[in-house]
Amino acid sequence: MERPAWAPQGIDISVPSVSRIYDYYLGGSHNFEVDRQAARRAMEFMPGLPKIMQANRAFMRRAVRYAVAEGVTQFLDIGSGIPTFGNVHEIAQAASPEARVVYVDHDPVAVAHSQAVLAGTERTGVVAADLRKPQDILTAPEVAQGLDLSRPVALMLVAVLHFLEDADEPYEAVAHLCDALAPGSLLILTHASYEGIPLSEEVASGTVDVYREIRNPLVMRDAEQIRRFFDGFGLIEPGLVSMPDWRPDTTGGSEGDAADEDPYAFSGFAGVGRKA
């Protein structure tokens, strides 16, 4: 298999990556055939996966703008993936030129591309680290230099927690990160769930099986299990809801109206909480 010029040396391009599969769903070009094959197999069971990912990105952009409007201009984006148009720093810095963003991912391709995209961009940083080891994130030089943890930070866990199994202690990892944040900080997250998917759980579980086969288990949690991640945070209205239902754009902007969304867009949950 020929290695593309943009692929970092040392990565196994014969093994699918969830961040590159996500890139494929969004119409990106930084993915390999092995990623596309896995994505197409998953879409055989759940053909609306690209629509779910688009709704996820749209929620992320609205949540970032909300954070800036609330005076939170520091962002720690964990599981940030491969840069695509409308990334966190673009949205945040368009709303506030002083906004600071640190991206974190454990995929070497995502990290390498983030570094390339952000070269020369002020008030941004990239960390190669894993959510399963939150202390490594908090002590990374890029976080220490790029963010002031004594002031409010928006911790972004968008489409990442469902790749942590219970054995990975996801609640403990999130709590560890949140404990380091100042009062007034925000927790922004989305999470996959069988709830809301316009398919039977039996059919949708075929997609879960595909992710298990590529050694990236997809954990579908229910609303109450997802709400637990917000312990210590007050959920901001409208609470934990489907992605299009979280403060939809009612001005006719590019985010669209929730009522016009494809049924697949309402799969899973999104929410924003504020630390007391």
Side-chain angles (χ1 to χ4, degrees):
M1 183 184 303
E2 184 177 352
R3 181 182 296 274
W6 52 263
Q9 293 298 318
I11 68 165
D12 187 348
I13 62 176
S14 68
V15 177
S17 152
V18 293
S19 63
R20 299 194 304 264
I21 292 172
Y22 187 84
D23 177 70
Y24 173 74
Y25 290 144
L26 290 174
S29 59
H30 293 104
N31 48 76
F32 306 133
E33 181 56 29
V34 68
D35 305 308
R36 296 187 284 273
Q37 289 175 354
R40 288 191 288 264
R41 280 178 24 233
M43 289 170 62
E44 289 176 8
F45 300 97
M46 202 181 298
L49 279 167
K51 179 55 67 175
I52 295 173
M53 306 313 165
Q54 291 164 18
N56 189 77
R57 294 286 294 185
F59 160 77
M60 179 273 288
R61 292 190 288 266
R62 295 196 305 277
V64 168
R65 287 194 289 266
Y66 170 83
V68 174
E70 291 292 303
V72 179
T73 57
Q74 300 188 103
F75 296 84
L76 180 58
D77 185 1
I78 301 177
S80 50
I82 294 170
T84 56
F85 177 75
N87 248 26
V88 173
H89 74 280
E90 294 173 325
I91 302 302
Q93 292 177 355
S96 171
E98 299 305 310
R100 296 178 174 273
V101 180
V102 175
Y103 293 107
V104 181
D105 208 288
H106 73 285
D107 185 326
V109 172
V111 172
H113 276 281
S114 296
Q115 291 170 334
V117 167
L118 297 173
T121 303
E122 296 182 354
R123 295 178 294 281
T124 60
V126 185
V127 177
D130 194 316
L131 176 55
R132 297 171 183 85
K133 298 179 179 180
Q135 189 61 22
D136 289 354
I137 296 172
L138 293 171
T139 58
E142 295 85 354
V143 172
Q145 296 165 11
L147 303 176
D148 178 0
L149 297 186
S150 69
R151 296 174 45 241
V153 172
L155 172 61
M156 306 194 64
L157 299 171
V158 176
V160 64
L161 287 168
H162 46 237
F163 290 115
L164 269 63
E165 298 180 277
D166 290 343
D168 295 319
E169 300 184 332
Y171 295 104
E172 291 81 357
V174 173
H176 190 126
L177 292 165
C178 291
D179 285 347
L181 303 181
S185 291
L186 300 177
L187 174 58
I188 298 170
L189 70 78
T190 63
H191 198 298
S193 176
Y194 284 120
E195 297 181 45
I197 297 177
L199 297 169
S200 69
E201 182 173 328
E202 182 180 11
V203 173
S205 66
T207 290
V208 175
D209 291 340
V210 170
Y211 278 90
R212 184 179 299 113
E213 289 167 9
I214 65 172
R215 300 179 183 178
N216 283 287
L218 179 61
V219 182
M220 307 291 261
R221 296 185 171 96
D222 62 29
E224 192 52 44
Q225 290 171 317
I226 297 168
R227 194 173 283 108
R228 279 183 56 199
F229 288 113
F230 288 97
D231 283 356
F233 284 68
L235 274 168
I236 292 164
E237 289 295 330
L240 189 66
V241 295
S242 67
M243 292 177 288
D245 284 327
W246 196 88
R247 297 182 176 240
D249 182 3
T250 57
T251 64
S254 60
E255 303 304 320
D257 189 316
D260 298 328
E261 288 282 1
D262 183 292
Y264 273 99
F266 295 87
S267 306
F269 290 96
V272 178
R274 180 180 285 109
K275 186 174 182 177

